[in-house]
Amino acid sequence: MSENIHPTAIVHEGAWLHPSVTVGAYSVIGAHVKVGAGTRIGPHCVIEGHTTIGEDNQIFQFASLGAQPQDKKYAGEPTELVIGDRNTIREFCTFNTGTSQDAGVTRVGNDNWIMAYVHIAHDCAVGSHTILANNATLAGHVHVGDWVILGGLTGVHQFVKIGAHAMAGFASRVAQDVPPFMMIEGNPLAVRGFNIEGLRRRGFTPERLKAVKQMHRLLYRQGLTLEGAVQAIASLAAEMPEAAQDIALMQSFLTASTRGIAR
């Protein structure tokens, strides 16, 4: 037993913890758990299932990570939860493992700020640099892109995709895909604009901001069908070469949408 592990914690002999990992009082670590260097696990946490946690994460008290999915089809398959590096996971968060009906893995990337009572259900894929405020809830199979911000009490429907740099306001009901860069809010959900302040803080140049503004206009202000907007957005790449990557991101997202986009 490492001196970094509180004597009241229960760590299964099959678990692998880097010697620098700290575990607080009364926490329980299961047989198939792996935890990387520098991660701090607070008191009264339960980490179970086939769960892999990277380096330098901070997991606060009463978190439940790696429990079996809340899916009646689940029959005990050895599905996984994989968490990256440098994430902050606050009190009472619940992250479940995946199911065999999807990739079998729930994934959380790096450098995420995940606040209290957040639920990440089976087969979700959360990118990096996101902020999930208190009580944000992701149903099964949800995909959340990099740099997304979800306001407190926001609920996301099964299979919804939220594009990179999007932002949802407080208590939003998200039942359709949200294109990259957009700002959404409400119940029923509405697109209120694009995330200009967030993009500025991330170093987007005026040219890239101009391209995002134009994509927003084509999707929401010109009265175009979705197919027409996609075609118009594709033509922007030649006019705005500096924003070609942003335009490609939007095109890829729109063509892959399966639930229709929030409009």
Side-chain angles (χ1 to χ4, degrees):
M1 182 74 72
S2 166
E3 63 181 11
N4 295 328
I5 299 174
H6 194 277
T8 62
I10 299 173
V11 179
H12 193 282
E13 61 182 9
W16 182 87
L17 278 63
H18 188 276
S20 62
V21 170
T22 61
V23 180
Y26 302 104
S27 285
V28 179
I29 312 294
H32 304 291
V33 173
K34 299 178 182 178
V35 185
T39 289
R40 293 170 286 167
I41 301 168
H44 298 278
C45 294
V46 177
I47 305 177
E48 56 186 310
H50 290 76
T51 296
T52 301
I53 300 173
E55 300 182 356
D56 298 316
N57 296 282
Q58 185 171 11
I59 302 167
F60 282 73
Q61 56 268 24
F62 303 106
S64 172
L65 308 179
Q68 68 183 43
Q70 298 178 106
D71 187 324
K72 289 186 175 181
K73 299 185 296 297
Y74 180 70
E77 301 90 346
T79 54
E80 298 180 71
L81 169 65
V82 178
I83 299 172
D85 303 328
R86 299 177 303 280
N87 296 289
T88 297
I89 300 171
R90 294 300 305 241
E91 300 84 351
F92 299 99
C93 285
T94 55
F95 300 179
N96 296 156
T97 57
T99 65
S100 59
Q101 285 74 39
D102 201 319
V105 183
T106 302
R107 295 188 182 275
V108 177
N110 305 319
D111 301 293
N112 296 292
W113 183 259
I114 301 174
M115 297 169 69
Y117 292 94
V118 167
H119 176 62
I120 299 179
H122 60 86
D123 304 295
C124 286
V126 177
S128 297
H129 305 285
T130 69
I131 299 174
L132 276 59
N134 297 315
N135 290 100
T137 299
L138 308 184
H141 314 280
V142 168
H143 288 201
V144 177
D146 295 343
W147 299 102
V148 165
I149 299 175
L150 298 183
L153 297 168
T154 291
V156 185
H157 194 280
Q158 292 95 329
F159 294 99
V160 160
K161 298 179 178 65
I162 301 178
H165 303 283
M167 181 176 181
F170 167 77
S172 296
R173 178 184 180 273
V174 186
Q176 290 182 295
D177 295 343
V178 180
F181 313 113
M182 298 300 119
M183 291 188 68
I184 57 172
E185 182 269 334
N187 179 12
L189 192 71
V191 175
R192 304 298 186 184
F194 69 98
N195 189 12
I196 185 169
E197 185 58 34
L199 300 179
R200 282 173 175 161
R201 293 179 182 182
R202 289 164 210 149
F204 274 55
T205 63
E207 291 78 9
R208 293 177 69 190
L209 291 173
K210 182 179 179 181
V212 173
K213 182 177 182 179
Q214 182 62 11
M215 289 190 287
H216 171 262
R217 181 179 293 121
L218 291 169
L219 279 170
Y220 296 104
R221 296 290 183 266
Q222 299 294 322
L224 300 173
T225 65
L226 180 57
E227 182 180 358
V230 170
Q231 293 174 354
I233 288 169
S235 68
L236 293 177
E239 304 171 24
M240 302 176 169
E242 186 173 334
Q245 187 173 355
D246 305 316
I247 295 166
L249 173 66
M250 180 65 81
Q251 286 182 274
S252 176
F253 185 93
L254 294 175
T255 56
S257 175
T258 56
R259 291 190 57 83
I261 66 166
R263 298 191 84 180

